[in-house]
């Protein structure tokens, strides 16, 4: 179908030449493209070759008369608007023609203006019909797009390995995919529609999902991932996110379930392995170490010919191994939640002063300045295990000394943030490239580059720090610029009675 703003064609069918030519002049002046036929047969020939949407048809013609032409035109597939031209004497015929499907009529003789009005009216009708048709096409296309989009989403959802469920703001489950049912040990044909508690047998999780679906967790990052234990052999991680409408109103929650059984089993195996290996190695190594210390002492006294440096290196090695194993043991104890001490009120400024004083000689050896930057105001006490705190800050300050060049500066800054205390260990040392930042808290991870090549370590300091900070209910952040330095920030709540280590 031609576009609505195309030039409209009009076919004039009349046996009188002056009517044909006159009409042509009038209509072409107002923008129509005019074709002419002097007989009905000629008109039908033209129409068989090309569809002309408006036909001006004289009813009274020799040969095939107008009525006959009209009825043939009705047989065409495309609709054609026929305006019949009638003499005064044939008004009745005009009415008959209209009944047979003619669109309009114009009596002969007619004024140019009359012709223009009638033909323009037909052209307007044509445009409206075309516009409506176009709209209909577009609507159908949108509907079919929507339909394919919907079925595509449905297929994706059905085949997702993650469990996905949607809960409305009343806590009613409105959608579940097969993985969702599978993970929760539900029958594959379980229907949606009931309250969330009918599908998930864990009140705390259901409450969390309800809260999310009611828009009570606006900050997505704050929504905790929930670990759901279905059995000793099935562990799931469940995350909920609010579903927001166009005006940001909360419509419900989408619940995503991931199977973390394998990760859990591997983690447990790793911890068990580490604990076992450490225990097996620790005592023989300690014995070797003691023996070496002893032999070394004797050799020096008797001025033996054996180069004591060899034994000294052996001693250093075993010492390194012992501290590695000590770290491993600490770590596995922290991870197993086995360090349970009574928390006491700790004066953080005094504790830090002790650590800084202890490490001052080390700093002086590298010509580094180690500064404790305490606030003017008095700090409230922190209720925690002092050994854990010493381990956290001791590890971080030692790292700062290690990973800062001689002559550098290490500043330990303490701030009170509401009901938390933040200690920042700021150095102007080597810094850490962004790609390592989230890995340095993994066990055994060490950055290996020109700066760190000769620095010995276990790669277990930061995992220990993180484990301890977690168990004290705090968090640790790091910001670093390679070449400029790093800041490790530990924020701990003043009181943490629940998860004390
Ligand atoms: P270790 O110091 O025994 O290697 P850690 O777990 O304490 O192990 O630290 C892991 C890695 O993080 C280090 O090997 C080092 O590359 C990097 N790192 C830690 N602290 C700093 C720091 N203050 N500046 C630069 N790099 C650091």
């Amino acid at each position: 179908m031609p576009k609505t703003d195309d030039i409209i064609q009009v076919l004039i069918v009349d046996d009188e030449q002056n009517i044909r030519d006159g009409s042509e002049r009038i209509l072409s002046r107002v923008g129509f493209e005019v074709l002419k036929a002097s007989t009905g047969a000629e008109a039908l020939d033209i129409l068989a070759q090309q569809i002309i949407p408006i036909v001006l048809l004289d009813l009274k013609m020799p040969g095939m008369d107008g009525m006959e032409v009209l009825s043939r035109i009705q047989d065409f597939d495309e609709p054609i608007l026929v305006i019949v031209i009638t003499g005064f004497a044939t008004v009745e015929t005009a009415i008959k023609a209209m009944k047979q499907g003619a669109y309009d009529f114009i009596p002969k003789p007619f004024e140019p203006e009359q012709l223009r009005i009638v033909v323009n009216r037909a052209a307007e009708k044509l445009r409206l019909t075309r516009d409506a048709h176009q709209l209909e096409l577009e609507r159908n296309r949108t509907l079919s797009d929507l339909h394919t989009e919907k079925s595509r989403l449905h297929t994706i959802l059905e085949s997702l390995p993650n469990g996905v469920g949607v809960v409305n703001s009343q806590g009613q489950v409105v959608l579940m995919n097969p993985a969702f049912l599978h993970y929760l040990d539900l029958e594959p044909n379980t229907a949606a529609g009931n309250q969330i508690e009918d599908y998930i047998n864990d009140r705390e999780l259901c409450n969390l999902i309800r809260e999310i679906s009611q828009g009570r967790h606006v900050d997505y990052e704050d929504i905790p991932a929930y670990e759901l234990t279905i059995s000793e052999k099935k562990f799931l991680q469940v995350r909920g996110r609010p579903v927001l409408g166009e005006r940001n109103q909360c419509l419900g929650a989408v619940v995503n379930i991931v199977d973390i059984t394998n990760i859990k089993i591997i983690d447990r195996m790793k911890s068990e392995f580490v604990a076992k290996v450490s225990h097996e190695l620790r005592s023989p190594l300690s014995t070797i170490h003691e023996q070496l210390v002893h032999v070394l002492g004797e050799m020096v006294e008797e001025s033996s010919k054996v180069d004591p440096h060899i034994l000294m290196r052996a001693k250093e090695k075993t010492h390194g191994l012992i501290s590695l194993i000590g770290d491993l043991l600490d770590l596995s104890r922290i991870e197993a939640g086995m360090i349970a001490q009574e928390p006491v009120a700790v004066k953080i400024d005094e504790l830090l002063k002790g650590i800084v004083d202890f490490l001052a000689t080390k700093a002086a050896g590298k010509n580094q300045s180690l500064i404790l930057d305490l606030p003017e105001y008095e700090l409230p006490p922190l209720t925690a295990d002092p050994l854990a705190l010493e381990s956290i800050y001791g590890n971080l300050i030692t790292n700062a000394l290690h990973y800062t060049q001689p002559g550098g500066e290490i500043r330990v800054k303490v701030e009170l943030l509401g009901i938390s205390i933040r200690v920042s260990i700021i150095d102007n040392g080597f810094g850490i490239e962004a790609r390592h930042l989230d890995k340095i808290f993994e066990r055994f991870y060490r950055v290996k580059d020109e700066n760190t090549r000769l620095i010995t370590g276990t790669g277990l300091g930061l995992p220990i720090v993180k484990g301890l900070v977690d168990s004290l209910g705090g968090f640790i952040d790091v910001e670093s610029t390679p070449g400029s330095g790093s800041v490790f920030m530990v924020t701990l709540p003043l009181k943490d009675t629940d998860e004390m280590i």
Side-chain angles (χ1 to χ4, degrees), residues 366-371 373 400-401 404-412 425-429 484-486:
K366 278 181 87 180
N367 202 18
Q368 292 167 325
S369 36
L370 175 57
I371 303 156
D373 185 352
L401 296 171
T404 298
Q405 62 288 349
E409 182 188 282
I410 293 92
R411 180 178 292 272
V412 180
I425 291 96
I426 309 155
D427 67 55
N428 61 355
S484 299
S486 316

Side-chain angles (χ1 to χ4, degrees), residues 11-16 20 36-48 55-70 72-73 76:
L11 174 63
I12 301 167
V13 193
D14 201 305
D15 56 329
E16 288 179 58
R20 289 200 303 270
K36 296 177 289 186
S38 54
T39 65
E42 197 188 334
L44 290 173
D45 274 352
I46 294 175
L47 289 173
V55 174
L56 270 169
L57 177 65
D58 185 13
L59 282 183
K60 213 160 165 299
M61 287 184 295
M64 189 190 296
D65 83 341
M67 290 304 277
E68 172 71 19
V69 180
L70 177 63
R72 298 270 195 98
I73 288 178
F76 282 87

Side-chain angles (χ1 to χ4, degrees), residues 62-109:
M64 189 190 296
D65 83 341
M67 290 304 277
E68 172 71 19
V69 180
L70 177 63
S71 86
R72 298 270 195 98
I73 288 178
Q74 304 298 313
D75 294 340
F76 282 87
D77 289 340
E78 293 269 334
I80 295 174
L81 297 178
V82 179
I83 301 165
V84 290
I85 306 171
T86 60
F88 283 124
T90 55
V91 172
E92 277 172 18
T93 335
I95 294 165
K96 198 172 146 208
M98 298 286 282
K99 280 189 185 155
Q100 288 209 3
Y103 168 67
D104 207 346
F105 74 97
I106 181 166
K108 236 186 212 175

Side-chain angles (χ1 to χ4, degrees), residues 395-396 399-400 402-404 427 430-432 440 442 445-448 452 456-463 480 486 488:
N395 259 304
L396 292 176
N399 273 355
H402 277 162
Y403 301 105
T404 298
D427 67 55
F430 308 139
I432 306 162
I440 53 175
E442 288 170 12
Y445 192 86
R446 308 200 65 224
V447 179
K448 292 195 184 79
T452 59
T456 51
T458 59
L460 291 172
L462 289 179
S480 190
S486 316
F488 283 80

Side-chain angles (χ1 to χ4, degrees), residues 335-483:
E335 285 179 352
M338 270 156 47
I339 305 178
Q341 293 201 0
E342 278 302 301
V344 292
V346 179
K347 280 183 144 291
I348 193 82
D349 38 0
E350 284 175 14
L351 181 122
L352 287 170
K353 200 164 174 314
I355 301 173
V356 166
D357 283 349
F358 180 74
L359 291 171
T361 340
K362 203 178 172 79
K366 278 181 87 180
N367 202 18
Q368 292 167 325
S369 36
L370 175 57
I371 303 156
L372 178 60
D373 185 352
L374 291 169
E376 303 264 287
Y377 48 82
E378 183 155 348
L379 289 163
L382 189 72
T383 312
D385 166 30
L387 286 180
L389 296 176
E390 290 212 11
S391 176
I392 293 170
Y393 302 125
N395 259 304
L396 292 176
I397 301 172
T398 313
N399 273 355
L401 296 171
H402 277 162
Y403 301 105
T404 298
Q405 62 288 349
E409 182 188 282
I410 293 92
R411 180 178 292 272
V412 180
K413 188 175 172 193
V414 188
E415 291 160 287
L416 183 66
L417 302 176
I419 50 161
S420 307
I421 281 197
R422 182 161 75 190
V423 177
S424 310
I425 291 96
I426 309 155
D427 67 55
N428 61 355
F430 308 139
I432 306 162
E433 281 181 55
R435 63 195 168 100
H436 299 300
L437 277 183
D438 52 341
K439 302 214 183 81
I440 53 175
F441 294 97
E442 288 170 12
R443 281 178 268 176
F444 301 110
Y445 192 86
R446 308 200 65 224
V447 179
K448 292 195 184 79
D449 60 22
E450 262 315 292
N451 292 322
T452 59
R453 207 164 47 90
L454 295 174
I455 302 171
T456 51
T458 59
L460 291 172
L462 289 179
I464 288 177
V465 169
K466 174 130 181 35
L468 289 170
V469 171
D470 284 349
S471 66
L472 289 173
F475 54 90
I476 179 163
D477 279 326
V478 53
E479 283 168 11
S480 190
T481 315

